[in-house]
Amino acid sequence: MVTLPPIWLLDVDGVVNATEPGWGGPLHKRGLWSAVDQYEYTLRWAPALVDRIHDLHVNGTVEVVWCTTWCAEADRLERMWSLPALRRAFTEPLRGAEASTAKLAAARNVLADGRRLIWTDDLEVPRSGPLYDELTAGGRGLLIRPTSSRGLQRSDLKDIEIFALEDR
């Protein structure tokens, strides 16, 4: 029986886009136009982080799924970061409470579909309590809530890889 890799629900702002990513090497910075918002955002990231995300997805360790307010325009991120086309947790341009609701629904859907869950989000991922317990029950979920200014760190990626390779 082939075991499918876990689904990694990946937020962008405060997770990949971080002002002080701390991965060593130069920080990359670029403006990215949002047609939805009619605004150019400045994104900052550690190239080594984006490379790790790319590699973990392409080699089948995880299946990365965008779960971000950028979902409606994720193709812009994929081009900028040279990522393959990834699935989206939702396709509408959602903000605020609507985005929060859609992100939680996406996490629950991953588990309901029988897949293991990795969820990285600097705002929505619970750190404790009933929702945390629900999403991590039976060891089926790994929740990482990075500090917004730092985003995902090397230790987080190591935890993701270890979790993803369990049960294989």
Side-chain angles (χ1 to χ4, degrees):
M1 179 176 144
V2 175
T3 303
L4 295 173
I7 300 280
W8 177 1
L9 297 179
L10 179 62
D11 184 32
V12 172
D13 297 322
V15 176
V16 181
N17 177 26
T19 56
E20 304 171 32
W23 277 67
L27 169 75
H28 283 211
K29 178 175 143 178
R30 183 169 156 195
L32 189 64
W33 178 257
S34 167
V36 170
D37 295 338
Q38 293 293 296
Y39 184 82
E40 183 170 285
Y41 291 94
T42 299
L43 275 67
R44 297 165 182 86
W45 69 92
L49 170 58
V50 172
D51 290 346
R52 288 290 292 134
I53 293 167
H54 174 275
D55 292 348
L56 288 170
H57 177 79
V58 169
N59 71 23
T61 304
V62 298
E63 180 183 343
V64 177
V65 174
W66 293 117
C67 191
T68 171
T69 57
W70 282 98
C71 276
E73 300 180 290
D75 58 312
R76 296 171 189 265
L77 299 170
E78 293 161 355
R79 283 193 302 275
M80 182 174 70
W81 290 331
S82 299
L83 293 171
L86 303 172
R87 285 196 304 134
R88 285 108 170 102
F90 47 90
T91 56
E92 306 83 17
L94 303 177
R95 301 288 184 265
E98 287 182 322
S100 297
T101 299
K103 289 177 177 188
L104 177 56
R108 285 178 165 149
N109 287 339
V110 168
L111 295 170
D113 288 344
R115 299 286 291 274
R116 294 173 66 229
L117 168 70
I118 300 166
W119 187 14
T120 57
D121 193 300
D122 64 316
L123 299 174
E124 304 301 334
V125 165
R127 290 189 175 123
S128 62
L131 184 55
Y132 178 89
D133 294 343
E134 172 193 337
L135 297 174
T136 60
R140 295 189 53 229
L142 173 65
L143 308 182
I144 299 175
R145 184 175 179 159
T147 303
S148 300
S149 63
R150 309 260 312 147
L152 290 172
Q153 297 295 296
R154 290 182 193 278
S155 59
D156 298 322
L157 273 286
K158 187 66 178 167
D159 291 345
I160 288 168
E161 188 169 17
I162 289 168
F163 178 82
L165 294 174
E166 291 172 358
D167 297 337
R168 282 206 148 178

PDB file of all heavy atoms in Angstrom, residues 39-67:
ATOM      1  N   TYR A  39      -2.329  46.899  -5.474  1.00  0.00           N
ATOM      2  CA  TYR A  39      -1.267  47.398  -4.606  1.00  0.00           C
ATOM      3  C   TYR A  39      -0.020  46.542  -4.817  1.00  0.00           C
ATOM      4  O   TYR A  39      -0.123  45.333  -5.025  1.00  0.00           O
ATOM      5  CB  TYR A  39      -1.726  47.310  -3.144  1.00  0.00           C
ATOM      6  CG  TYR A  39      -0.748  47.875  -2.154  1.00  0.00           C
ATOM      7  CD1 TYR A  39      -0.700  49.237  -1.910  1.00  0.00           C
ATOM      8  CD2 TYR A  39       0.131  47.037  -1.468  1.00  0.00           C
ATOM      9  CE1 TYR A  39       0.205  49.771  -0.990  1.00  0.00           C
ATOM     10  CE2 TYR A  39       1.035  47.558  -0.551  1.00  0.00           C
ATOM     11  CZ  TYR A  39       1.069  48.922  -0.320  1.00  0.00           C
ATOM     12  OH  TYR A  39       1.966  49.443   0.576  1.00  0.00           O
ATOM     13  N   GLU A  40       1.148  47.180  -4.732  1.00  0.00           N
ATOM     14  CA  GLU A  40       2.393  46.419  -4.800  1.00  0.00           C
ATOM     15  C   GLU A  40       2.928  46.189  -3.391  1.00  0.00           C
ATOM     16  O   GLU A  40       3.247  47.144  -2.681  1.00  0.00           O
ATOM     17  CB  GLU A  40       3.452  47.131  -5.636  1.00  0.00           C
ATOM     18  CG  GLU A  40       4.716  46.283  -5.763  1.00  0.00           C
ATOM     19  CD  GLU A  40       5.702  46.815  -6.774  1.00  0.00           C
ATOM     20  OE1 GLU A  40       5.430  46.649  -7.979  1.00  0.00           O
ATOM     21  OE2 GLU A  40       6.710  47.394  -6.340  1.00  0.00           O
ATOM     22  N   TYR A  41       2.991  44.928  -3.011  1.00  0.00           N
ATOM     23  CA  TYR A  41       3.516  44.538  -1.705  1.00  0.00           C
ATOM     24  C   TYR A  41       5.003  44.255  -1.829  1.00  0.00           C
ATOM     25  O   TYR A  41       5.468  43.744  -2.849  1.00  0.00           O
ATOM     26  CB  TYR A  41       2.815  43.277  -1.194  1.00  0.00           C
ATOM     27  CG  TYR A  41       1.372  43.505  -0.839  1.00  0.00           C
ATOM     28  CD1 TYR A  41       0.353  43.263  -1.762  1.00  0.00           C
ATOM     29  CD2 TYR A  41       1.022  43.974   0.420  1.00  0.00           C
ATOM     30  CE1 TYR A  41      -0.975  43.485  -1.426  1.00  0.00           C
ATOM     31  CE2 TYR A  41      -0.312  44.196   0.762  1.00  0.00           C
ATOM     32  CZ  TYR A  41      -1.297  43.949  -0.173  1.00  0.00           C
ATOM     33  OH  TYR A  41      -2.614  44.172   0.160  1.00  0.00           O
ATOM     34  N   THR A  42       5.761  44.544  -0.788  1.00  0.00           N
ATOM     35  CA  THR A  42       7.169  44.178  -0.733  1.00  0.00           C
ATOM     36  C   THR A  42       7.277  42.873   0.039  1.00  0.00           C
ATOM     37  O   THR A  42       6.859  42.794   1.200  1.00  0.00           O
ATOM     38  CB  THR A  42       7.999  45.269  -0.034  1.00  0.00           C
ATOM     39  OG1 THR A  42       7.876  46.483  -0.772  1.00  0.00           O
ATOM     40  CG2 THR A  42       9.468  44.864   0.030  1.00  0.00           C
ATOM     41  N   LEU A  43       7.811  41.854  -0.626  1.00  0.00           N
ATOM     42  CA  LEU A  43       8.012  40.561   0.011  1.00  0.00           C
ATOM     43  C   LEU A  43       9.491  40.376   0.293  1.00  0.00           C
ATOM     44  O   LEU A  43      10.343  40.781  -0.506  1.00  0.00           O
ATOM     45  CB  LEU A  43       7.501  39.428  -0.872  1.00  0.00           C
ATOM     46  CG  LEU A  43       6.000  39.128  -0.748  1.00  0.00           C
ATOM     47  CD1 LEU A  43       5.144  40.252  -1.275  1.00  0.00           C
ATOM     48  CD2 LEU A  43       5.652  37.837  -1.414  1.00  0.00           C
ATOM     49  N   ARG A  44       9.792  39.780   1.435  1.00  0.00           N
ATOM     50  CA  ARG A  44      11.156  39.492   1.861  1.00  0.00           C
ATOM     51  C   ARG A  44      11.211  38.017   2.245  1.00  0.00           C
ATOM     52  O   ARG A  44      10.329  37.532   2.956  1.00  0.00           O
ATOM     53  CB  ARG A  44      11.526  40.352   3.070  1.00  0.00           C
ATOM     54  CG  ARG A  44      11.535  41.828   2.788  1.00  0.00           C
ATOM     55  CD  ARG A  44      11.552  42.632   4.105  1.00  0.00           C
ATOM     56  NE  ARG A  44      11.506  44.057   3.865  1.00  0.00           N
ATOM     57  CZ  ARG A  44      10.391  44.766   3.691  1.00  0.00           C
ATOM     58  NH1 ARG A  44       9.218  44.169   3.725  1.00  0.00           N
ATOM     59  NH2 ARG A  44      10.438  46.056   3.474  1.00  0.00           N
ATOM     60  N   TRP A  45      12.262  37.338   1.809  1.00  0.00           N
ATOM     61  CA  TRP A  45      12.354  35.911   2.104  1.00  0.00           C
ATOM     62  C   TRP A  45      13.791  35.430   2.067  1.00  0.00           C
ATOM     63  O   TRP A  45      14.667  36.070   1.509  1.00  0.00           O
ATOM     64  CB  TRP A  45      11.503  35.104   1.122  1.00  0.00           C
ATOM     65  CG  TRP A  45      12.050  35.102  -0.278  1.00  0.00           C
ATOM     66  CD1 TRP A  45      12.902  34.177  -0.823  1.00  0.00           C
ATOM     67  CD2 TRP A  45      11.810  36.074  -1.306  1.00  0.00           C
ATOM     68  NE1 TRP A  45      13.196  34.506  -2.121  1.00  0.00           N
ATOM     69  CE2 TRP A  45      12.535  35.675  -2.440  1.00  0.00           C
ATOM     70  CE3 TRP A  45      11.051  37.240  -1.356  1.00  0.00           C
ATOM     71  CZ2 TRP A  45      12.525  36.393  -3.624  1.00  0.00           C
ATOM     72  CZ3 TRP A  45      11.052  37.961  -2.543  1.00  0.00           C
ATOM     73  CH2 TRP A  45      11.776  37.537  -3.655  1.00  0.00           C
ATOM     74  N   ALA A  46      13.981  34.280   2.667  1.00  0.00           N
ATOM     75  CA  ALA A  46      15.268  33.591   2.633  1.00  0.00           C
ATOM     76  C   ALA A  46      15.229  32.605   1.473  1.00  0.00           C
ATOM     77  O   ALA A  46      14.394  31.692   1.470  1.00  0.00           O
ATOM     78  CB  ALA A  46      15.506  32.863   3.949  1.00  0.00           C
ATOM     79  N   PRO A  47      16.106  32.774   0.485  1.00  0.00           N
ATOM     80  CA  PRO A  47      16.100  31.833  -0.646  1.00  0.00           C
ATOM     81  C   PRO A  47      16.255  30.377  -0.212  1.00  0.00           C
ATOM     82  O   PRO A  47      15.644  29.492  -0.817  1.00  0.00           O
ATOM     83  CB  PRO A  47      17.290  32.285  -1.490  1.00  0.00           C
ATOM     84  CG  PRO A  47      17.487  33.723  -1.138  1.00  0.00           C
ATOM     85  CD  PRO A  47      17.090  33.841   0.310  1.00  0.00           C
ATOM     86  N   ALA A  48      17.022  30.117   0.826  1.00  0.00           N
ATOM     87  CA  ALA A  48      17.210  28.731   1.286  1.00  0.00           C
ATOM     88  C   ALA A  48      15.898  28.126   1.764  1.00  0.00           C
ATOM     89  O   ALA A  48      15.660  26.928   1.587  1.00  0.00           O
ATOM     90  CB  ALA A  48      18.266  28.677   2.394  1.00  0.00           C
ATOM     91  N   LEU A  49      15.036  28.927   2.366  1.00  0.00           N
ATOM     92  CA  LEU A  49      13.718  28.436   2.789  1.00  0.00           C
ATOM     93  C   LEU A  49      12.875  28.050   1.583  1.00  0.00           C
ATOM     94  O   LEU A  49      12.293  26.962   1.542  1.00  0.00           O
ATOM     95  CB  LEU A  49      12.989  29.494   3.631  1.00  0.00           C
ATOM     96  CG  LEU A  49      11.508  29.213   3.929  1.00  0.00           C
ATOM     97  CD1 LEU A  49      11.309  27.894   4.653  1.00  0.00           C
ATOM     98  CD2 LEU A  49      10.904  30.376   4.698  1.00  0.00           C
ATOM     99  N   VAL A  50      12.814  28.917   0.604  1.00  0.00           N
ATOM    100  CA  VAL A  50      12.021  28.628  -0.601  1.00  0.00           C
ATOM    101  C   VAL A  50      12.582  27.391  -1.301  1.00  0.00           C
ATOM    102  O   VAL A  50      11.814  26.538  -1.776  1.00  0.00           O
ATOM    103  CB  VAL A  50      11.978  29.849  -1.544  1.00  0.00           C
ATOM    104  CG1 VAL A  50      11.321  29.505  -2.868  1.00  0.00           C
ATOM    105  CG2 VAL A  50      11.241  31.003  -0.863  1.00  0.00           C
ATOM    106  N   ASP A  51      13.906  27.247  -1.331  1.00  0.00           N
ATOM    107  CA  ASP A  51      14.510  26.056  -1.934  1.00  0.00           C
ATOM    108  C   ASP A  51      14.086  24.780  -1.198  1.00  0.00           C
ATOM    109  O   ASP A  51      13.799  23.763  -1.823  1.00  0.00           O
ATOM    110  CB  ASP A  51      16.040  26.160  -1.925  1.00  0.00           C
ATOM    111  CG  ASP A  51      16.570  27.207  -2.889  1.00  0.00           C
ATOM    112  OD1 ASP A  51      15.814  27.691  -3.766  1.00  0.00           O
ATOM    113  OD2 ASP A  51      17.775  27.566  -2.753  1.00  0.00           O
ATOM    114  N   ARG A  52      14.039  24.829   0.141  1.00  0.00           N
ATOM    115  CA  ARG A  52      13.627  23.654   0.918  1.00  0.00           C
ATOM    116  C   ARG A  52      12.165  23.306   0.657  1.00  0.00           C
ATOM    117  O   ARG A  52      11.810  22.137   0.523  1.00  0.00           O
ATOM    118  CB  ARG A  52      13.843  23.890   2.420  1.00  0.00           C
ATOM    119  CG  ARG A  52      15.282  23.894   2.844  1.00  0.00           C
ATOM    120  CD  ARG A  52      15.957  22.528   2.780  1.00  0.00           C
ATOM    121  NE  ARG A  52      15.383  21.641   3.782  1.00  0.00           N
ATOM    122  CZ  ARG A  52      15.009  20.382   3.544  1.00  0.00           C
ATOM    123  NH1 ARG A  52      15.152  19.840   2.369  1.00  0.00           N
ATOM    124  NH2 ARG A  52      14.495  19.642   4.495  1.00  0.00           N
ATOM    125  N   ILE A  53      11.309  24.331   0.600  1.00  0.00           N
ATOM    126  CA  ILE A  53       9.894  24.091   0.293  1.00  0.00           C
ATOM    127  C   ILE A  53       9.778  23.416  -1.064  1.00  0.00           C
ATOM    128  O   ILE A  53       9.076  22.407  -1.217  1.00  0.00           O
ATOM    129  CB  ILE A  53       9.100  25.408   0.340  1.00  0.00           C
ATOM    130  CG1 ILE A  53       9.045  25.954   1.771  1.00  0.00           C
ATOM    131  CG2 ILE A  53       7.698  25.221  -0.238  1.00  0.00           C
ATOM    132  CD1 ILE A  53       8.561  27.385   1.881  1.00  0.00           C
ATOM    133  N   HIS A  54      10.467  23.951  -2.046  1.00  0.00           N
ATOM    134  CA  HIS A  54      10.472  23.389  -3.407  1.00  0.00           C
ATOM    135  C   HIS A  54      10.907  21.923  -3.376  1.00  0.00           C
ATOM    136  O   HIS A  54      10.226  21.045  -3.909  1.00  0.00           O
ATOM    137  CB  HIS A  54      11.403  24.213  -4.293  1.00  0.00           C
ATOM    138  CG  HIS A  54      11.595  23.649  -5.649  1.00  0.00           C
ATOM    139  ND1 HIS A  54      12.541  22.675  -5.921  1.00  0.00           N
ATOM    140  CD2 HIS A  54      10.956  23.897  -6.818  1.00  0.00           C
ATOM    141  CE1 HIS A  54      12.480  22.360  -7.203  1.00  0.00           C
ATOM    142  NE2 HIS A  54      11.521  23.080  -7.770  1.00  0.00           N
ATOM    143  N   ASP A  55      12.041  21.656  -2.733  1.00  0.00           N
ATOM    144  CA  ASP A  55      12.593  20.307  -2.741  1.00  0.00           C
ATOM    145  C   ASP A  55      11.685  19.307  -2.025  1.00  0.00           C
ATOM    146  O   ASP A  55      11.489  18.196  -2.514  1.00  0.00           O
ATOM    147  CB  ASP A  55      13.989  20.292  -2.101  1.00  0.00           C
ATOM    148  CG  ASP A  55      15.021  21.034  -2.936  1.00  0.00           C
ATOM    149  OD1 ASP A  55      14.740  21.369  -4.116  1.00  0.00           O
ATOM    150  OD2 ASP A  55      16.119  21.302  -2.397  1.00  0.00           O
ATOM    151  N   LEU A  56      11.140  19.691  -0.877  1.00  0.00           N
ATOM    152  CA  LEU A  56      10.265  18.771  -0.145  1.00  0.00           C
ATOM    153  C   LEU A  56       9.009  18.436  -0.944  1.00  0.00           C
ATOM    154  O   LEU A  56       8.505  17.309  -0.880  1.00  0.00           O
ATOM    155  CB  LEU A  56       9.888  19.361   1.215  1.00  0.00           C
ATOM    156  CG  LEU A  56      11.011  19.400   2.252  1.00  0.00           C
ATOM    157  CD1 LEU A  56      10.592  20.228   3.465  1.00  0.00           C
ATOM    158  CD2 LEU A  56      11.418  17.989   2.671  1.00  0.00           C
ATOM    159  N   HIS A  57       8.519  19.398  -1.714  1.00  0.00           N
ATOM    160  CA  HIS A  57       7.337  19.140  -2.547  1.00  0.00           C
ATOM    161  C   HIS A  57       7.706  18.294  -3.767  1.00  0.00           C
ATOM    162  O   HIS A  57       7.057  17.275  -4.033  1.00  0.00           O
ATOM    163  CB  HIS A  57       6.701  20.462  -2.995  1.00  0.00           C
ATOM    164  CG  HIS A  57       5.531  20.259  -3.897  1.00  0.00           C
ATOM    165  ND1 HIS A  57       4.281  19.914  -3.431  1.00  0.00           N
ATOM    166  CD2 HIS A  57       5.425  20.319  -5.253  1.00  0.00           C
ATOM    167  CE1 HIS A  57       3.453  19.774  -4.456  1.00  0.00           C
ATOM    168  NE2 HIS A  57       4.122  20.020  -5.579  1.00  0.00           N
ATOM    169  N   VAL A  58       8.726  18.707  -4.488  1.00  0.00           N
ATOM    170  CA  VAL A  58       9.076  18.029  -5.741  1.00  0.00           C
ATOM    171  C   VAL A  58       9.516  16.584  -5.506  1.00  0.00           C
ATOM    172  O   VAL A  58       9.193  15.702  -6.297  1.00  0.00           O
ATOM    173  CB  VAL A  58      10.152  18.841  -6.508  1.00  0.00           C
ATOM    174  CG1 VAL A  58      10.730  18.058  -7.671  1.00  0.00           C
ATOM    175  CG2 VAL A  58       9.559  20.147  -7.004  1.00  0.00           C
ATOM    176  N   ASN A  59      10.221  16.336  -4.389  1.00  0.00           N
ATOM    177  CA  ASN A  59      10.658  14.958  -4.152  1.00  0.00           C
ATOM    178  C   ASN A  59       9.577  14.088  -3.493  1.00  0.00           C
ATOM    179  O   ASN A  59       9.808  12.928  -3.202  1.00  0.00           O
ATOM    180  CB  ASN A  59      11.981  14.909  -3.378  1.00  0.00           C
ATOM    181  CG  ASN A  59      11.864  15.317  -1.936  1.00  0.00           C
ATOM    182  OD1 ASN A  59      10.795  15.245  -1.333  1.00  0.00           O
ATOM    183  ND2 ASN A  59      12.977  15.738  -1.347  1.00  0.00           N
ATOM    184  N   GLY A  60       8.389  14.669  -3.258  1.00  0.00           N
ATOM    185  CA  GLY A  60       7.261  13.882  -2.757  1.00  0.00           C
ATOM    186  C   GLY A  60       7.245  13.656  -1.260  1.00  0.00           C
ATOM    187  O   GLY A  60       6.438  12.873  -0.766  1.00  0.00           O
ATOM    188  N   THR A  61       8.101  14.357  -0.522  1.00  0.00           N
ATOM    189  CA  THR A  61       8.092  14.226   0.938  1.00  0.00           C
ATOM    190  C   THR A  61       6.801  14.800   1.502  1.00  0.00           C
ATOM    191  O   THR A  61       6.234  14.257   2.457  1.00  0.00           O
ATOM    192  CB  THR A  61       9.320  14.926   1.555  1.00  0.00           C
ATOM    193  OG1 THR A  61      10.518  14.377   0.972  1.00  0.00           O
ATOM    194  CG2 THR A  61       9.371  14.763   3.059  1.00  0.00           C
ATOM    195  N   VAL A  62       6.338  15.897   0.922  1.00  0.00           N
ATOM    196  CA  VAL A  62       5.081  16.549   1.302  1.00  0.00           C
ATOM    197  C   VAL A  62       4.370  16.983   0.019  1.00  0.00           C
ATOM    198  O   VAL A  62       4.975  17.058  -1.049  1.00  0.00           O
ATOM    199  CB  VAL A  62       5.311  17.791   2.200  1.00  0.00           C
ATOM    200  CG1 VAL A  62       5.983  17.421   3.501  1.00  0.00           C
ATOM    201  CG2 VAL A  62       6.092  18.864   1.464  1.00  0.00           C
ATOM    202  N   GLU A  63       3.090  17.268   0.153  1.00  0.00           N
ATOM    203  CA  GLU A  63       2.354  17.924  -0.923  1.00  0.00           C
ATOM    204  C   GLU A  63       2.014  19.320  -0.413  1.00  0.00           C
ATOM    205  O   GLU A  63       1.178  19.482   0.474  1.00  0.00           O
ATOM    206  CB  GLU A  63       1.080  17.175  -1.287  1.00  0.00           C
ATOM    207  CG  GLU A  63       0.320  17.856  -2.409  1.00  0.00           C
ATOM    208  CD  GLU A  63      -0.999  17.186  -2.744  1.00  0.00           C
ATOM    209  OE1 GLU A  63      -1.224  16.014  -2.352  1.00  0.00           O
ATOM    210  OE2 GLU A  63      -1.825  17.848  -3.403  1.00  0.00           O
ATOM    211  N   VAL A  64       2.682  20.324  -0.958  1.00  0.00           N
ATOM    212  CA  VAL A  64       2.451  21.701  -0.523  1.00  0.00           C
ATOM    213  C   VAL A  64       1.173  22.224  -1.177  1.00  0.00           C
ATOM    214  O   VAL A  64       0.975  22.082  -2.382  1.00  0.00           O
ATOM    215  CB  VAL A  64       3.643  22.614  -0.878  1.00  0.00           C
ATOM    216  CG1 VAL A  64       3.357  24.060  -0.489  1.00  0.00           C
ATOM    217  CG2 VAL A  64       4.925  22.117  -0.200  1.00  0.00           C
ATOM    218  N   VAL A  65       0.322  22.828  -0.359  1.00  0.00           N
ATOM    219  CA  VAL A  65      -0.922  23.444  -0.811  1.00  0.00           C
ATOM    220  C   VAL A  65      -0.947  24.863  -0.253  1.00  0.00           C
ATOM    221  O   VAL A  65      -0.781  25.056   0.964  1.00  0.00           O
ATOM    222  CB  VAL A  65      -2.159  22.651  -0.323  1.00  0.00           C
ATOM    223  CG1 VAL A  65      -3.450  23.373  -0.682  1.00  0.00           C
ATOM    224  CG2 VAL A  65      -2.153  21.235  -0.893  1.00  0.00           C
ATOM    225  N   TRP A  66      -1.116  25.841  -1.124  1.00  0.00           N
ATOM    226  CA  TRP A  66      -1.234  27.223  -0.660  1.00  0.00           C
ATOM    227  C   TRP A  66      -2.456  27.351   0.239  1.00  0.00           C
ATOM    228  O   TRP A  66      -3.539  26.895  -0.121  1.00  0.00           O
ATOM    229  CB  TRP A  66      -1.395  28.183  -1.832  1.00  0.00           C
ATOM    230  CG  TRP A  66      -0.213  28.316  -2.730  1.00  0.00           C
ATOM    231  CD1 TRP A  66      -0.165  27.988  -4.062  1.00  0.00           C
ATOM    232  CD2 TRP A  66       1.076  28.840  -2.409  1.00  0.00           C
ATOM    233  NE1 TRP A  66       1.078  28.262  -4.573  1.00  0.00           N
ATOM    234  CE2 TRP A  66       1.866  28.789  -3.577  1.00  0.00           C
ATOM    235  CE3 TRP A  66       1.651  29.341  -1.234  1.00  0.00           C
ATOM    236  CZ2 TRP A  66       3.195  29.220  -3.606  1.00  0.00           C
ATOM    237  CZ3 TRP A  66       2.972  29.768  -1.273  1.00  0.00           C
ATOM    238  CH2 TRP A  66       3.722  29.718  -2.446  1.00  0.00           C
ATOM    239  N   CYS A  67      -2.273  28.001   1.385  1.00  0.00           N
ATOM    240  CA  CYS A  67      -3.379  28.268   2.307  1.00  0.00           C
ATOM    241  C   CYS A  67      -3.122  29.667   2.865  1.00  0.00           C
ATOM    242  O   CYS A  67      -2.665  29.842   3.996  1.00  0.00           O
ATOM    243  CB  CYS A  67      -3.407  27.206   3.404  1.00  0.00           C
ATOM    244  SG  CYS A  67      -4.908  27.249   4.410  1.00  0.00           S
TER     245      CYS A  67
END
